[in-house]
Amino acid sequence: MKKKNMKKLLFLNACIRGEASRTLELSRFYIDGFIAGEKNAGRSWEVEEICLDSLNDLKPLDSTELALRDRLLAERNFGHKMFDHAKKIISADHVVIGAPYWDLQFPALLKIYLERCSVTGLTFIYNDEGIPEGQCRAESLMYITTSGSPIGNMNYGYDYVCGLCRLFGIPKTYFASAEGLDIIGNDAAKIMADAKVKITDVIKEIQSS
Ligand SMILES: Cc1cc2nc3c(=O)[nH]c(=O)nc-3n(C[C@H](O)[C@H](O)[C@H](O)COP(=O)(O)O)c2cc1C
């Protein structure tokens, strides 16, 4: 439940390596800077962090779950706990995804989580012309990643999330990364420091828009 007059930042933490994760370090840097900037502007936020690795009941939609979901959707019965993830993303004012670059994309747990968020009739509804209309309240989503090698034009994880944002009705997406961290000879500390500069710029951009 959201506190009155407080905006909600929803942090989807897909950093499977936990406190050792460099993506988590950048995500926390972003969230701390974002909240501080908002506080300076007189706006209060609460942060809800969802650590995907700790969600023991996070499972892909299998045949049983899909049949149950289809029945509940046909009845327009959205009270089941399987819809809680969708409701959370709908009511957030800003969404942050922290996800390492895995297999050209992101950890599968994030895909499963987003699959659970993507519910016809909740996160998006079809209008009379059959066009989906996103129902999310957030104006923007920030996606943070780190990678072993350069990502280049294979930013499939972020590209996919941008597509989902269009479906869910989140109009703006932002991206920051620290890339090439695992290449021998690269200065990982400098790459991380440069990423933090970029993140600070993104915070300024969001807060001046
Ligand atoms: C399962 C797995 C898959 C990975 N796949 C890629 C990849 O496709 N391309 C790449 O550049 N790095 C890949 N990496 C390296 C990570 O992107 C890199 O180490 C990243 O900084 C890890 O983030 P973390 O410190 O937040 O865990 C992979 C690492 C793991 C553990």
Side-chain angles (χ1 to χ4, degrees), residues 7 45 92-95 136-141 169-174 206 209:
K7 292 189 166 197
W45 287 73
D93 297 287
H94 183 52
V95 181
C136 284
R137 174 208 301 258
E139 281 177 18
S140 57
L141 177 146
I170 301 175
K172 289 185 193 155
T173 51
Y174 299 88
I206 293 175
S209 65

Side-chain angles (χ1 to χ4, degrees), residues 7 21 37 54 56 61 76 101 121 130 135 150 184 201:
K7 292 189 166 197
S21 161
S54 304
N56 297 325
L61 276 174
R76 300 197 56 74
Y101 187 69
Q135 300 301 301
I184 294 166
D201 289 344

Side-chain angles (χ1 to χ4, degrees), residues 81-97:
K81 72 176 172 44
M82 75 158 66
F83 299 124
D84 288 354
H85 300 310
K87 289 176 189 166
K88 264 192 184 146
I89 201 164
I90 289 169
S91 63
D93 297 287
H94 183 52
V95 181
V96 180
I97 294 180

Side-chain angles (χ1 to χ4, degrees), residues 68-80 83 87 90 119-127 135:
L68 173 62
R69 190 173 90 149
D70 283 347
R71 180 170 65 72
L72 294 169
L73 292 180
E75 293 166 358
R76 300 197 56 74
N77 176 357
F78 299 117
H80 195 281
F83 299 124
K87 289 176 189 166
I90 289 169
V119 181
T120 320
L122 274 180
T123 6
F124 56 97
I125 54 173
Y126 285 97
N127 67 18
Q135 300 301 301

Side-chain angles (χ1 to χ4, degrees), residues 9-154:
L9 184 156
L10 180 66
F11 173 35
L12 304 182
N13 174 358
C15 303
I16 310 297
R17 293 199 309 125
E19 294 304 319
S21 161
R22 297 165 294 193
T23 316
L24 186 60
E25 180 183 332
L26 293 184
S27 301
R28 295 217 190 288
F29 179 84
Y30 171 77
I31 292 168
D32 289 349
F34 179 88
I35 297 293
E38 289 292 288
K39 197 171 174 196
N40 285 342
R43 294 185 288 267
S44 303
W45 287 73
E46 62 179 311
V47 177
E48 178 170 2
E49 175 174 337
I50 300 185
C51 179
L52 305 193
D53 196 44
S54 304
L55 295 180
N56 297 325
D57 58 351
L58 185 61
K59 289 190 312 177
L61 276 174
D62 60 16
S63 53
T64 310
E65 285 277 295
L66 184 60
L68 173 62
R69 190 173 90 149
D70 283 347
R71 180 170 65 72
L72 294 169
L73 292 180
E75 293 166 358
R76 300 197 56 74
N77 176 357
F78 299 117
H80 195 281
K81 72 176 172 44
M82 75 158 66
F83 299 124
D84 288 354
H85 300 310
K87 289 176 189 166
K88 264 192 184 146
I89 201 164
I90 289 169
S91 63
D93 297 287
H94 183 52
V95 181
V96 180
I97 294 180
Y101 187 69
W102 276 18
D103 305 323
L104 310 182
Q105 204 186 46
F106 48 57
L109 275 182
L110 179 59
K111 174 67 179 85
I112 297 171
Y113 188 87
L114 294 172
E115 181 178 81
R116 293 293 181 161
C117 288
S118 189
V119 181
T120 320
L122 274 180
T123 6
F124 56 97
I125 54 173
Y126 285 97
N127 67 18
D128 293 342
E129 282 86 48
I131 297 167
E133 289 178 351
Q135 300 301 301
C136 284
R137 174 208 301 258
E139 281 177 18
S140 57
L141 177 146
M142 173 68 172
Y143 188 97
I144 297 168
T145 194
T146 68
S147 63
S149 310
I151 294 175
N153 62 1
M154 293 194 291

